[in-house]
Amino acid sequence: MHLERCNSAMASVALLVLLLLSSSLASAELQRVQHAPKDDGSLTVLAVGDWGRGGQYNQTLVAEQMGVIGEKLNADFIISTGDNFYNDGLSGDNDTAFFKASFTEIYTAESLQKPWYIVLGNHDYTGDALAQQSPAIREVDSRWTSVNKSFIVEAEIVEFFLVDTSPFVLKYWNESKFDWRNVAPRDTYIANLLKDLDDALTESKATWKIVVGHHPISSGCEHGNTTELRENLLPVLKAHGVHMYLNGHDHCLQRISSIDSRVEFVTSGGGSKAWAGKFKATTDKMEFLYDGQGFLSMQFTEAEANLVFYDVTGAVLHSWGLTKSDAARIVS
């Protein structure tokens, strides 16, 4: 019965994705994918980033523990925070052998046979940056849900706003290997994206608003803060009372509280190769940092959110809770 429900949910998401893809040229708004929560209205999500290495660097071990936790918590879907395929993304939508070796053949647990909602990382942009949105890739594995480089996942009490952050980073535009098709000119792309995000956040009635990107706004790991996101994206998040910004890019797990807003900066970039011992200072408040491999779980109800970081063995590293009141936070 559980598997039948999973297959039914996957089929519904697949149909909606096809409809969205067919209408993508007709709308300037961020595309939307609807994902129903559980019958009681709650939602459970896993998040992992910086993972696609053909199973190397403990990618397989992280995947196994994601399967264990996904079954225990009855995960509804998975979010990838980018850098899905190393070192240079997919070479095209016919690069199916590497896609299977790094995704389909790694995340094999039944609990992970749910939709995966995808943002691109900078390494995805140094290959064919359009391949991961191709229907040909979805034909290989229907879990793969990347309807556009930026889009929204609506799950009633929670809305996830997936944002394409690589174009913000100026230094990438000086490197010829980046695939900027459908992006250039940069300023126009970013201005339109920020306006679309601002409009979507204005319209949102969700209890929880989570913005997802690849690059960190605030980070104490190797890459540190992303200046262009602090200048351009962060003001939009603050203006709309966004609860969390979730990212990858730094190969670590961390939780940081903003010093002047409600936003929590959460990094889940421990899907494979980690960067032990490489740290940077941030002006925000560091709540937790782990410079190893692992992933994140998020459980939402109307009243509260509970989040947990796990390491490569599935052990709990850090857990915390959020309520709708800014002042009511429980840390363990």
Side-chain angles (χ1 to χ4, degrees), residues 4 18 55 135 182 199 214 219 238 291 312 326:
E4 290 177 358
L18 290 174
N182 296 354
D199 290 346
H214 177 62
S219 174
K238 289 181 176 180
D291 57 343
V312 70
D326 289 340

Side-chain angles (χ1 to χ4, degrees), residues 20 22 39 84 95 100 121 135 147 152-153 164 196 212 224 289 306:
L20 287 170
S22 67
D39 291 343
N84 307 313
D95 192 4
K100 291 178 182 177
V147 300
I152 301 170
V153 179
D164 182 26
D196 292 344
V212 183
L289 189 155
N306 291 286

Side-chain angles (χ1 to χ4, degrees), residues 82-85 89-90 119-129 132:
D83 277 0
N84 307 313
F85 302 99
L90 297 178
V119 295
L120 299 185
N122 52 295
H123 283 276
D124 300 307
Y125 259 100
T126 60
D128 183 334
Q132 295 184 42

Side-chain angles (χ1 to χ4, degrees), residues 12-328:
S12 298
V13 170
L15 176 60
L16 182 56
V17 167
L18 290 174
L19 292 172
L20 287 170
L21 286 171
S22 67
S23 63
S24 62
L25 297 177
S27 174
E29 297 179 351
L30 293 178
Q31 296 178 47
R32 296 172 182 267
V33 175
Q34 294 181 350
H35 193 118
K38 295 179 175 65
D39 291 343
D40 64 0
S42 67
L43 187 79
T44 300
V45 180
L46 303 183
V48 65
D50 305 86
W51 43 266
R53 298 180 184 271
Q56 297 181 334
Y57 297 99
N58 286 343
Q59 182 192 358
T60 301
L61 296 181
V62 174
E64 289 174 355
Q65 292 305 320
M66 288 178 64
V68 172
I69 299 302
E71 180 178 4
K72 179 180 178 181
L73 301 182
N74 189 16
D76 294 288
F77 57 82
I78 299 91
I79 287 178
S80 172
T81 58
D83 277 0
N84 307 313
F85 302 99
Y86 285 93
N87 281 321
D88 294 305
L90 297 178
S91 61
D93 62 10
N94 60 349
D95 192 4
T96 56
F98 187 49
F99 176 82
K100 291 178 182 177
S102 290
F103 179 66
T104 303
E105 297 169 2
I106 302 298
Y107 302 100
T108 57
E110 180 181 339
S111 65
L112 303 181
Q113 306 309 302
K114 310 288 179 65
W116 285 58
Y117 299 115
I118 308 297
V119 295
L120 299 185
N122 52 295
H123 283 276
D124 300 307
Y125 259 100
T126 60
D128 183 334
L130 303 180
Q132 295 184 42
Q133 289 90 55
S134 172
I137 292 298
R138 278 193 58 82
E139 289 178 6
V140 176
D141 194 319
S142 62
R143 293 178 291 173
W144 192 262
T145 309
S146 180
V147 300
N148 209 333
K149 291 178 179 177
S150 299
F151 63 100
I152 301 170
V153 179
E154 295 181 337
E156 295 187 11
I157 62 170
V158 191
E159 287 189 355
F160 292 89
F161 303 82
L162 280 65
V163 175
D164 182 26
T165 59
S166 291
F168 285 81
V169 183
L170 275 168
K171 67 179 182 180
Y172 295 158
W173 289 83
N174 297 322
E175 300 181 29
S176 60
K177 64 181 181 178
F178 279 79
D179 178 8
W180 295 126
R181 289 176 297 162
N182 296 354
V183 175
R186 173 183 179 271
D187 290 349
T188 301
Y189 183 84
I190 290 175
N192 289 338
L193 174 54
L194 290 174
K195 181 183 184 303
D196 292 344
L197 178 62
D198 183 75
D199 290 346
L201 286 168
T202 299
E203 296 171 3
S204 176
K205 300 298 190 293
T207 301
W208 302 97
K209 300 176 182 65
I210 314 296
V211 174
V212 183
H214 177 62
H215 296 79
I217 291 176
S218 185
S219 174
C221 293
E222 181 176 16
H223 285 305
N225 299 349
T226 305
T227 301
E228 296 89 341
L229 295 184
R230 293 187 75 88
E231 293 175 348
N232 296 286
L233 181 60
L234 182 56
V236 178
L237 274 56
K238 289 181 176 180
H240 292 282
V242 167
H243 301 90
M244 183 189 307
Y245 177 75
L246 173 64
N247 62 271
H249 195 50
D250 269 325
H251 296 190
C252 63
L253 306 173
Q254 62 182 332
R255 171 192 168 216
I256 298 172
S257 295
S258 170
I259 60 172
D260 59 3
S261 73
R262 72 187 301 172
V263 182
E264 293 234 343
F265 305 107
V266 179
T267 298
S268 183
S272 59
K273 188 176 183 179
W275 295 333
K278 298 182 179 180
F279 305 111
K280 289 254 180 98
T282 180
T283 55
D284 294 297
K285 182 182 179 183
M286 178 65 67
E287 305 282 1
F288 172 80
L289 189 155
Y290 175 68
D291 57 343
Q293 297 145 333
F295 59 98
L296 172 73
S297 71
M298 300 176 281
Q299 294 179 284
F300 299 94
T301 67
E302 185 71 34
E304 63 182 9
N306 291 286
L307 302 95
V308 181
F309 281 128
Y310 305 87
D311 71 8
V312 70
T313 70
V316 172
L317 295 169
H318 178 68
S319 62
W320 72 104
L322 302 173
T323 73
K324 286 298 294 178
S325 169
D326 289 340

